[in-house]
Structures are given as structure tokens and as C-alpha cells.
Amino acid sequence: IIVGVMMMTIRKHAKKRKKEEKKRKKKEEKRRAKAAAADGGASSTDGGIRLAQNKVQAGHARKMRDAKDIKNKSAADMAAIFCVKGGFFK
């Protein structure tokens, strides 16, 4: 009886694993098709140049460094940051 239960459990897990693998492959194919459509049909193995798609990130690091630099802040900016009256930093 124990052997029969174990065999049923093994089959159940194998079936589940197989289903998950099939789902993963289908998802991967869909992702590749979407990427190929976005690239104009070019694959990544053709040696073509790929440009960055995240245009929003251009210069982000520099902007963040400048934002954190308190040497460049005006008196009004410093007052707003530290929640004090404007004349405090003059």
C-alpha cells in the first residue's frame, strides 16, 4: 500500500513538473518573439548593435549626485529641506 501511494505521489509531482516546464518554455518563446518584434525582427546573434531602450535613465546618476550636494543649494532650498525659516541660512 505504501509503495502504491509513493508511486502516485511521484507521478503527480512528475506531471506537475512537466506542466511547469512546458509553461516556462511557452513563456520564454513568447518573450523572445516579443523581443524580436521590438528589434524589428533582428536576433541577438546577428552581430547588430543594440541601443539602450531606457532613455529616462540618461544622466540619472549625475542628477542624483547634484541633488545630494548641499554646497550648491540656495538659502531657500536649505530652509525647505530642514523645515526652518528662509533667513536661517543667510
Side-chain angles (χ1 to χ4, degrees), residues 42-85:
S43 68
S44 61
T45 57
D46 64 357
I49 296 173
R50 290 183 145 207
L51 299 176
Q53 298 297 316
N54 54 349
K55 296 173 186 160
V56 175
Q57 293 293 321
H60 180 72
R62 183 185 39 132
K63 291 176 191 172
M64 291 306 293
R65 282 193 306 273
D66 290 343
K68 291 178 184 178
D69 187 15
I70 61 172
K71 291 183 270 182
N72 301 344
K73 302 282 185 229
S74 67
D77 290 339
M78 294 297 285
I81 291 169
F82 294 106
C83 301
V84 295
K85 296 203 179 221

Side-chain angles (χ1 to χ4, degrees), residues 17-30:
R17 193 175 341 124
K18 196 176 204 180
K19 187 176 180 181
E20 288 173 353
E21 182 69 19
K22 186 177 179 182
K23 188 176 180 181
R24 186 190 62 77
K25 282 183 181 181
K26 190 172 183 179
K27 194 173 185 180
E28 182 69 21
E29 286 175 11
K30 193 173 184 181

Side-chain angles (χ1 to χ4, degrees), residues 1-45:
I1 295 175
I2 294 173
V3 174
V5 172
M6 287 178 56
M7 291 301 290
M8 287 175 52
T9 305
I10 291 170
R11 284 189 198 134
K12 185 177 175 182
H13 286 295
K15 189 175 182 181
K16 186 176 181 181
R17 193 175 341 124
K18 196 176 204 180
K19 187 176 180 181
E20 288 173 353
E21 182 69 19
K22 186 177 179 182
K23 188 176 180 181
R24 186 190 62 77
K25 282 183 181 181
K26 190 172 183 179
K27 194 173 185 180
E28 182 69 21
E29 286 175 11
K30 193 173 184 181
R31 186 191 64 78
R32 284 185 182 166
K34 188 176 179 182
D39 290 341
S43 68
S44 61
T45 57

